[in-house]
Amino acid sequence: MQRSLHKPTEITGAHVAFYHRRDLRLTSMAESKAKEAEFLPEDVGTDDCLTSYTYIYSPDLLKDQVAFITGGGSGIGLRIAEIFMRHGCDTIISSRNLDKLKEAAKKLSAVSGRRCLPLCVDVRQPDSIAAAVDEALAQFGRIDILINNAAGNFLCPASALSFNGFKTVLEIDTLGTFNTSKLLYEKWFKDHGGNIVNISATLQYRGQALQVHAGSAKAANDAMTKHLAVEWGPNGVRVNAVAPGPISGTEGYRKLGGPIGEAAGVFQSIPLQRAGNKTEMAHCVLFLASRASSYTTGAILVADGGAWLTSANDVSTMLGYWSSEKKRDK
């Protein structure tokens, strides 16, 4: 039998030290993640209210204020409504699906003890918004906060995107934000002051693949946030935005491939190495809508765990994912 010419690997002190440092590093990372999990706010993946909640701010931070929330019947919008109501705020939640809104309003009032008025609104139609604002003022006598959360999105390369598809996203995201902001300004904020928080995104920062429609709409909204902050500041109106990254438990997360990306380990490229949750986004909005940020306007708070800084923008991979999704949809 021929002897191997390779000598057995000699275990030296350097090897021992290397593996010891590696084990310590892995242990430290695991401990850091476990410690971080302890401080994450409560959340549930469904469109249900939280079963428990730990306050970060004073429970009366928004006491007796009233918030108008578009897209408030599900996802991030519903959680914003819940967190606001847990802090003493009454809410108006709006979307085009009144049945879903009514169901959400019952849940929200039951868990918080505050009033929640569901109103059917199409943010593309100024008359629809005006009627809802009039009804809200008749019911509550005031509106202190507007959250522009209504949005539409899907994955699609620009070459396959229909003219109507591009137009529809801009109508909902951009025109809807302007329509609602302008009507509330005219009917209440101009004479009484108020807070506007727009829900933005980070897609437009690097030109995210398959997102020309949503990225264009959100870029316009970011500009609008600054313009309105400048013009309406003298009337006591603050205008800010929150730009979420991948947020679990939302329809957008599902539609934009979040679960598949998570299973494939894509989130390991994010500095915080995870998706965010809806309660985290609600806390960001709560900060900007409250007196905690009283000297902040025209700001865009990016809340994405650092994702836009480091995540891949791989066109070929995204096109492959879109193609397979398209076939499944058929």
Side-chain angles (χ1 to χ4, degrees):
M1 180 181 294
Q2 187 176 3
R3 289 186 179 183
S4 170
L5 298 178
H6 298 287
K7 292 182 179 180
T9 301
E10 183 179 352
I11 305 299
T12 66
H15 286 93
V16 173
F18 169 79
Y19 287 114
H20 180 63
R21 288 195 302 271
R22 185 197 64 176
D23 291 344
L24 285 176
R25 185 170 65 252
L26 292 174
T27 301
S28 177
M29 289 173 62
E31 289 175 349
S32 295
K33 286 188 176 183
K35 194 164 187 64
E36 180 187 40
E38 291 179 15
F39 292 97
L40 288 181
E42 299 93 330
D43 198 28
V44 292
T46 58
D47 285 331
D48 291 300
C49 293
L50 302 172
T51 55
S52 64
Y53 179 69
T54 303
Y55 284 91
I56 298 173
Y57 291 102
S58 169
D60 64 356
L61 184 62
L62 299 181
K63 184 173 175 58
D64 297 330
Q65 293 191 46
V66 177
F68 192 110
I69 305 169
T70 67
S74 62
I76 293 174
L78 185 142
R79 187 68 74 243
I80 292 170
E82 178 184 353
I83 298 304
F84 276 24
M85 293 170 76
R86 287 180 180 272
H87 287 82
C89 191
D90 292 324
T91 62
I92 303 99
I93 56 173
S94 72
S95 74
R96 288 176 290 170
N97 189 334
L98 186 57
D99 289 337
K100 191 170 187 177
L101 288 171
K102 288 179 177 177
E103 181 183 348
K106 288 180 182 177
K107 296 176 185 177
L108 291 166
S109 291
V111 79
S112 67
R114 305 297 305 190
R115 294 177 63 192
C116 182
L117 175 65
L119 293 176
C120 184
V121 174
D122 185 341
V123 294
R124 297 171 294 181
Q125 304 296 328
D127 289 346
S128 172
I129 304 166
V133 172
D134 288 342
E135 178 64 20
L137 289 172
Q139 291 271 352
F140 295 99
R142 63 188 293 169
I143 298 174
D144 303 280
I145 302 163
L146 166 62
I147 309 300
N148 285 307
N149 175 65
N153 198 4
F154 47 87
L155 291 175
C156 188
S159 58
L161 181 62
S162 70
F163 298 114
N164 189 60
F166 184 84
K167 176 185 175 184
T168 299
V169 170
L170 262 73
E171 284 180 337
I172 296 171
D173 289 31
T174 305
L175 289 180
T177 294
F178 177 75
N179 293 341
T180 311
S181 299
K182 179 175 169 61
L183 280 162
L184 261 169
Y185 177 78
E186 290 177 344
K187 290 178 175 291
W188 189 258
F189 289 166
K190 182 179 180 180
D191 297 321
H192 303 88
N195 270 304
I196 299 174
V197 181
N198 300 320
I199 305 304
S200 185
T202 61
L203 309 168
Q204 65 274 24
Y205 296 171
R206 295 191 302 156
Q208 184 66 41
L210 313 190
Q211 292 281 266
V212 65
H213 44 310
S216 298
K218 294 302 188 182
N221 282 7
D222 285 354
M224 192 190 314
T225 295
K226 295 179 174 67
H227 287 292
L228 297 184
V230 169
E231 292 192 23
W232 294 352
N235 295 88
V237 180
R238 295 194 294 115
V239 188
N240 294 290
V242 172
I247 305 302
S248 62
T250 64
E251 185 65 11
Y253 185 77
R254 186 190 67 79
K255 279 186 177 180
L256 303 181
I260 293 175
E262 187 171 8
V266 171
F267 293 167
Q268 293 304 303
S269 69
I270 298 175
L272 293 189
Q273 302 198 334
R274 63 177 178 85
N277 69 41
K278 294 173 289 188
T279 306
E280 289 179 304
M281 297 306 103
H283 284 165
C284 292
V285 177
L286 176 65
F287 167 72
L288 289 175
S290 75
R291 62 183 182 272
S293 62
S294 57
Y295 199 52
T296 302
T297 195
I300 299 168
L301 173 58
V302 177
D304 73 339
W308 84 269
L309 296 168
T310 58
S311 294
N313 194 4
D314 189 327
V315 178
S316 59
T317 298
M318 293 295 287
L319 284 172
Y321 171 74
W322 172 79
S323 179
S324 63
E325 283 296 293
K326 186 178 178 183
K327 289 175 183 176
R328 276 202 290 271
D329 289 344
K330 285 182 177 180

